[in-house]
Amino acid sequence: MNQTKSAFDEHQMIEVFYEDLIQDRIETMNRIFDFLNVSRIQVKTTMKKQNPE
């Protein structure tokens, strides 16, 4: 990741982790929308957990 950060040093960047999307999808997506400076929308998925616990 450090190599990526240095390659885009002059650009704004946001880190998004899969775990954050799983734990709190709405808040994580709102953070992404805010970063992109776009309107927040409700995001739905059709994916289902393959190994429910």
Side-chain angles (χ1 to χ4, degrees), residues 30-49:
N30 285 340
R31 192 169 61 92
I32 294 168
F33 294 142
D34 292 346
F35 175 80
L36 295 172
N37 197 28
V38 297
S39 299
R40 294 178 176 186
I41 60 169
Q42 185 177 9
V43 178
K44 296 181 181 180
T45 181
T46 57
M47 300 180 108
K48 296 180 182 172
K49 193 170 184 178

Side-chain angles (χ1 to χ4, degrees), residues 1 7 10 12 14-15 20 22 24 26-27 29 31-32 34 44 46-47 49:
M1 188 62 155
E10 297 178 19
Q12 293 182 346
I14 185 173
E15 287 185 344
D20 294 339
I22 297 303
D24 193 349
I26 293 170
E27 182 57 36
M29 290 305 301
R31 192 169 61 92
I32 294 168
D34 292 346
K44 296 181 181 180
T46 57
M47 300 180 108
K49 193 170 184 178

